[in-house]
């Protein structure tokens, strides 16, 4: 899919704030967006500021120690990552305030925290010579709530990629603040249709912009050999790749699949939470836990699966999430059976959607029977359109239409 140059923003200065710092080990939508934006603009990626509680609780963490050195002035907090892309470690400590019961007290202290955060950002903006800034807020409800007021950007964008209010920490004060942040943002963009519709309740300038995926290594999965720990596992292999979290995945559905079809091998690749570790799944002979793998190995595992699954629980935590792993599965050309959610509707022509554990059996049987080279090619072609270039082009389009 070609990106229209009419949707290209270039030569601008963009400040990105959010929840995930640059030095996070896990994948980050926001980091991918920053890299893509820096191809044609100057971008300052701002780490969230260190709070007092984290400073003392994790004082031995090298990452926290680095932030403390920056705050003390012992280390430069403004770093060049690559051409046109800088990372800022804020040089100010903020107070830990989420425990505060009374909303009005929280909001007063939060504004003080925001002002301190903004001063650190403004120092970097002046040093870099940024002007007429585009402020891009990646789901940071509290620490960035007042940044539009303090930084006075040319355009402020709120990026919704998770339903934050499903999590206790964010719900406590977020129910009173997130909708206000959405209202006062110039533009809202979201990576799922569910979240775009959620934002549109409060701001008519809300847009679905999809999401990208690092597809290249998955599209080349056909060149990989079968991993050694799969060689003794009989086909058909029904596989899942990703974190095994009981908050998001249905243990009951996985168990049902394995018990109903003992002739299938259910392979789970990824780290387990405590609920998965103590679950009865470990006592079922045709379920195979292979543990965490290096990301570079995952395409080989997916390529060895006959059907890929994503047995999500439908809840506030999962219902709005863009299912990134679906793109990865499809990029390899594999048939996919996933839980039917609103976010999955964009994939419905290329996947099998299930609403119950019984549906999973029926859909997997159908997927095994129907799979063929033509369908595999169609899946790869569809996944290839989900690039960060295309997603950022849609973000640019939303900004251009409202500025």
């Amino acid at each position: 899919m070609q990106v229209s140059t009419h949707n290209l923003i270039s030569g601008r200065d963009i400040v990105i704030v959010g929840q995930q710092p640059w030095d996070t080990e896990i994948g980050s939508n926001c980091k991918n967006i920053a890299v893509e934006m820096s191809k044609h603009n100057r971008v300052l990626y701002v780490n969230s500021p260190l709070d007092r509680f984290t400073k003392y609780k994790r004082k031995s963490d090298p990452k926290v120690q680095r932030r403390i050195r920056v705050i003390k002035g012992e280390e430069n907090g403004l770093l060049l990552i690559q051409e046109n892309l800088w990372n800022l470690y804020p040089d100010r400590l903020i107070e830990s305030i989420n425990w505060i019961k009374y909303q009005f007290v929280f909001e007063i202290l939060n504004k003080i925290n925001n002002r301190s955060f903004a001063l650190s950002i403004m120092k970097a903006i002046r040093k870099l010579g940024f002007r007429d800034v585009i402020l891009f807020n990646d789901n940071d409800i509290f620490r960035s709530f007042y940044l539009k007021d303090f930084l006075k950007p040319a355009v402020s964008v709120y990026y919704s990629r998770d339903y934050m209010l499903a999590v206790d920490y964010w719900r406590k004060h977020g129910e009173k603040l997130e909708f206000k942040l959405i209202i006062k943002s110039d533009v809202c963009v979201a990576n799922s249709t569910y979240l775009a519709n959620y934002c549109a309740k409060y701001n008519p300038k809300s847009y679905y912009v999809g999401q990208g995926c690092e597809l290249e290594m998955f599209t080349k999965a056909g060149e990989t050999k079968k991993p050694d720990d799969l060689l003794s596992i009989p086909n058909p292999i029904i596989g899942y790749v990703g974190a095994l979290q009981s908050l998001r995945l249905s243990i009951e559905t996985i168990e049902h699949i394995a018990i109903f079809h003992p002739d299938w091998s259910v392979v789970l690749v990824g780290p387990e939470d405590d609920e998965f570790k103590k679950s009865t799944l470990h006592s079922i002979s045709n379920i195979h836990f292979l543990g965490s793998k290096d990301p570079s190995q995952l395409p080989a595992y997916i390529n060895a699966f006959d059907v890929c699954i994503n047995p999500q629980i439908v809840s506030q935590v999962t219902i709005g999430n863009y299912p990134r792993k679906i793109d990865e599965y499809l990029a390899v050309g594999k048939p996919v059976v996933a839980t039917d959610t609103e976010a999955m509707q964009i994939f419905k022509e290329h996947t099998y959607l299930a609403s119950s554990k019984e549906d999973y059996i029926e859909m997997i049987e159908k997927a095994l029977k129907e799979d063929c080279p033509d369908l595999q090619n169609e899946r790869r072609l569809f996944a290839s359109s989900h690039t960060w270039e295309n997603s950022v082009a849609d973000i640019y389009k939303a900004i251009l239409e409202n500025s």
Side-chain angles (χ1 to χ4, degrees):
M1 178 185 287
Q2 296 294 315
V3 177
S4 171
T5 55
H6 296 299
N7 295 337
L8 180 66
I9 290 178
S10 62
R12 294 293 301 270
D13 294 329
I14 302 173
V15 172
I16 296 178
V17 295
Q19 297 177 38
Q20 292 178 306
W22 190 265
D23 56 0
T24 184
E25 291 91 355
I26 62 174
S28 166
N29 286 17
C30 204
K31 286 173 64 175
N32 292 128
I33 289 171
V35 170
E36 184 62 37
M37 287 180 166
S38 71
K39 292 178 181 178
H40 302 283
N41 305 278
R42 297 196 301 169
V43 177
L44 175 63
Y45 189 100
V46 184
N47 295 339
S48 55
L50 180 65
D51 66 274
R52 193 174 300 277
F53 181 74
T54 303
K55 176 185 176 184
Y56 289 106
K57 184 180 180 183
R58 296 170 48 197
K59 58 185 176 183
S60 61
D61 186 332
K63 294 178 182 178
V64 172
Q65 291 175 352
R66 183 176 193 176
R67 285 155 173 75
I68 293 172
R69 291 196 298 272
V70 170
I71 291 170
K72 290 181 176 179
E74 298 172 355
E75 187 173 322
N76 180 23
L78 183 60
L79 308 173
L80 179 65
I81 302 297
Q82 61 185 52
E83 185 179 4
N84 288 334
L85 177 59
W86 291 263
N87 178 215
L88 177 66
Y89 287 77
D91 60 0
R92 289 170 177 261
L93 184 73
I94 65 171
E95 299 302 327
S96 307
I97 60 174
N98 199 60
W99 58 271
I100 293 173
K101 180 178 179 180
Y102 300 105
Q103 186 73 21
F104 77 96
V105 176
F106 172 86
E107 292 188 19
I108 291 171
L109 295 177
N110 191 48
K111 191 167 188 177
I112 294 171
N113 275 347
N114 272 235
R115 182 181 290 112
S116 182
F117 187 28
L119 287 171
S120 187
I121 297 172
M122 284 190 283
K123 186 188 298 184
I125 286 175
R126 287 193 294 268
K127 188 170 184 178
L128 295 172
F130 277 24
R131 300 183 63 184
D132 299 322
V133 162
I134 295 173
L135 176 64
F136 187 88
N137 178 356
D138 171 31
N139 249 158
D140 191 10
I141 302 171
F142 303 150
R143 293 164 300 204
S144 302
F145 184 83
Y146 295 100
L147 289 189
K148 179 180 180 180
D149 307 281
F150 292 130
L151 298 180
K152 302 190 183 307
V155 183
S156 65
V157 183
Y158 184 66
Y159 178 53
S160 178
R161 58 175 173 79
D162 276 307
Y163 183 63
M164 304 304 298
L165 303 187
V167 180
D168 289 342
Y169 176 88
W170 295 102
R171 184 189 305 116
K172 184 172 183 179
H173 296 289
E175 287 183 340
K176 301 287 180 58
L177 290 183
E178 188 181 32
F179 79 93
K180 294 180 182 178
L181 180 56
I182 292 170
I183 288 171
K184 72 177 181 177
S185 296
D186 297 312
V187 183
C188 294
V189 294
N191 71 339
S192 76
T193 53
Y194 178 90
L195 292 172
N197 291 334
Y198 165 71
C199 290
K201 294 178 183 178
Y202 309 106
N203 189 329
K205 298 176 181 178
S206 297
Y207 303 86
Y208 166 65
V209 295
Q211 175 167 310
C213 179
E214 294 75 30
L215 296 174
E216 186 175 354
M217 67 177 183
F218 292 95
T219 56
K220 295 180 178 180
E223 304 168 12
T224 60
K225 69 173 186 176
K226 193 171 187 177
D228 290 343
D229 52 358
L230 284 177
L231 293 177
S232 61
I233 297 177
N235 293 78
I237 295 176
I238 313 305
Y240 171 87
V241 167
L244 297 164
Q245 300 175 331
S246 56
L247 182 67
R248 296 177 179 272
L249 296 180
S250 171
I251 291 175
E252 181 183 4
T253 296
I254 297 170
E255 180 180 54
H256 182 71
I257 292 169
I259 292 175
F260 194 90
H261 261 289
D263 54 314
W264 293 349
S265 298
V266 178
V267 172
L268 306 173
V269 179
E272 302 173 67
D273 69 7
D274 290 340
E275 291 301 313
F276 264 88
K277 287 178 181 177
K278 65 184 182 183
S279 72
T280 57
L281 298 180
H282 286 272
S283 65
I284 301 174
S285 61
N286 60 323
I287 296 181
H288 307 268
F289 287 86
L290 302 188
S292 298
K293 305 295 177 183
D294 186 273
S296 63
Q297 297 177 285
L298 298 183
Y301 281 90
I302 294 172
N303 190 50
F305 297 162
D306 294 288
V307 174
C308 298
I309 59 172
N310 190 33
Q312 279 192 324
I313 293 171
V314 179
S315 69
Q316 284 189 318
V317 174
T318 64
I319 194 169
N321 285 1
Y322 184 97
R324 189 169 179 163
K325 71 174 76 279
I326 303 299
D327 276 328
E328 296 169 353
Y329 291 160
L330 294 177
V332 182
K334 294 296 172 177
V336 177
V337 180
T339 302
D340 191 359
T341 65
E342 184 174 336
M344 277 299 301
Q345 293 309 300
I346 63 168
F347 297 94
K348 65 181 181 180
E349 299 299 324
H350 304 278
T351 59
Y352 300 86
L353 301 183
S355 299
S356 66
K357 62 184 182 182
E358 291 80 16
D359 283 352
Y360 264 90
I361 300 298
E362 180 184 347
M363 293 297 108
I364 293 171
E365 290 174 342
K366 187 176 182 181
L368 287 168
K369 182 179 179 180
E370 293 182 347
D371 193 30
C372 64
D374 285 346
L375 286 177
Q376 292 165 13
N377 289 332
E378 287 177 14
R379 295 173 195 132
R380 293 189 189 101
L381 182 62
F382 175 73
S384 70
S385 68
H386 294 170
T387 64
W388 286 112
E389 183 180 15
N390 288 337
S391 180
V392 169
D394 284 341
I395 293 172
Y396 287 159
K397 182 180 179 182
I399 294 172
L400 290 170
E401 289 180 358
N402 297 282
S403 62

